[in-house]
Amino acid sequence: MILTVTLNTALDVTYTVDALVPHRSHRVGEVIERPGGKGLNVARVLGALGHDTVVTGFVGGATGAVLRDLLAPLPPRDALVQVAGNTRRTLAITDRSTGDTTQLNESGPQVGAAEWAAFLRTYGELVADADAVALCGSLPPGIHVGAYAELIRTARAAGVPVLLDTSGEPLRRGIAARPDLVKPNADELARLTGFREPLRAARDARRRGAHAVIASLGPEGLLAETPEGGWRAAPPTPVRGNPTGAGDSAVAGLLSALAEGLDWPGRLARAVALSTATVLAPAAGEFDAAAYAELLPRVTVEPYAATS
């Protein structure tokens, strides 16, 4: 079983308009709702790939009830912890004329000390049966910035490999707890390390405690800095579309390939193919299965010099 943690779940809403023009009224052509937040997106992709997956984190209020109803028929199993506050919404507005997407994100509900304690009990029970754990996304109000570091230490004590995908101070604190893998984007790495060059930044992040670093380079693919060496992986051609959830699909690709025993080039090829197929999908957090199958053998994975 793969466990994904989304402390700040969301109801993802996608609006499609013919053309997004500031200061104008728009008629929405299509509305799609999906249970979201980074870890839920990861779990949904893992489920589509055939992996047994459990989701946990926080959910609450009327929006949370809608999220759980949408989650119920999907493969990931629901182990979310109820809170008094209302689950946040994220709004993606897709412009048909350009293919671009504008994203609006709420901050999330306030989480109290008793609710955090209830989550820790649930997390501890789930980790004991997990083959891998993914800790994903932002922290809701009320959760301390060292929360991910605490969860990493719990997973490591149980002997379970853990992936961290967050940013800012939670990323800084989390890396110091020595996760097996972190997956920031280039900007997040630069803010963490002070280095704009992704390879130098990834190597610095490893020195700070991460066992392996997979840096997202956006449409240019991924850079991997691992104990076994380094690689760059790129899609065969640039694509345009809705990037919402593309990074989460990359995380799902890495976790599923790890669970299946693939080597680093195989993991990176799957991650890039899945993230690119997600950009091509019409709804946030989904991936185009046909595009994924076509892209996978065409992803370029090239090694660079071993870690110094």
Side-chain angles (χ1 to χ4, degrees):
M1 178 266 283
I2 298 175
L3 174 64
T4 73
V5 175
T6 312
L7 296 179
N8 208 8
T9 59
L11 179 65
D12 288 340
V13 183
T14 302
Y15 286 173
T16 302
V17 298
D18 290 335
L20 183 61
V21 182
H23 315 300
R24 297 279 183 89
S25 177
H26 297 76
R27 185 174 295 280
V28 176
E30 184 179 24
V31 180
I32 300 173
E33 292 183 334
R34 293 287 187 273
K38 294 179 74 65
L40 265 70
N41 290 339
V42 171
R44 192 164 54 244
V45 175
L46 285 168
L49 293 172
H51 286 272
D52 179 26
T53 311
V54 175
V55 296
T56 191
F58 296 111
V59 68
T63 306
V66 173
L67 184 154
R68 292 190 109 152
D69 286 344
L70 292 170
L71 183 62
L74 301 178
R77 287 179 281 149
D78 179 353
L80 296 167
V81 174
Q82 193 75 23
V83 295
N86 198 36
T87 294
R88 68 191 178 118
R89 293 162 296 178
T90 69
L91 177 62
I93 307 172
T94 299
D95 183 328
R96 283 199 188 98
S97 66
T98 64
D100 292 333
T101 298
T102 300
Q103 190 80 19
L104 304 174
N105 298 327
E106 297 177 359
S107 62
Q110 183 79 22
V111 177
E115 292 165 334
W116 175 245
F119 168 79
L120 288 178
R121 289 191 295 272
T122 296
Y123 176 74
E125 293 168 359
L126 292 170
V127 164
D129 295 324
D131 299 312
V133 176
L135 308 174
C136 304
S138 62
L139 300 178
I143 298 299
H144 64 97
V145 293
Y148 282 135
E150 183 176 354
L151 300 183
I152 290 166
R153 288 190 290 269
T154 299
R156 287 180 59 82
V160 179
V162 57
L163 180 151
L164 176 64
D165 183 11
T166 189
S167 60
E169 190 62 21
L171 174 62
R172 187 183 307 276
R173 301 281 187 96
I175 281 182
R178 306 186 69 80
D180 296 272
L181 177 62
V182 296
K183 197 213 71 62
N185 62 39
D187 288 340
E188 290 163 350
L189 262 184
R191 289 194 293 271
L192 172 72
T193 66
F195 298 125
R196 297 299 307 178
E197 201 285 310
L199 177 55
R200 188 177 181 187
R203 287 179 170 171
D204 183 79
R206 282 204 65 218
R207 285 191 289 269
R208 291 168 182 258
H211 186 70
V213 178
I214 308 299
S216 173
L217 307 178
E220 297 178 10
L222 299 173
L223 177 148
E225 179 68 8
T226 82
E228 291 79 24
W231 291 269
R232 290 180 185 267
T237 56
V239 298
R240 299 194 67 169
N242 184 350
T244 303
D248 306 328
S249 290
V251 170
L254 292 168
L255 284 172
S256 63
L258 171 65
E260 294 169 27
L262 299 188
D263 59 11
W264 276 109
R267 297 176 200 177
L268 296 169
R270 180 177 292 184
V272 168
L274 278 171
S275 62
T276 305
T278 299
V279 173
L280 295 171
E286 304 294 334
F287 72 93
D288 185 317
Y292 166 64
E294 191 273 333
L295 286 162
L296 182 58
R298 299 172 56 217
V299 173
T300 301
V301 183
E302 298 179 343
Y304 56 78
T307 305
S308 58

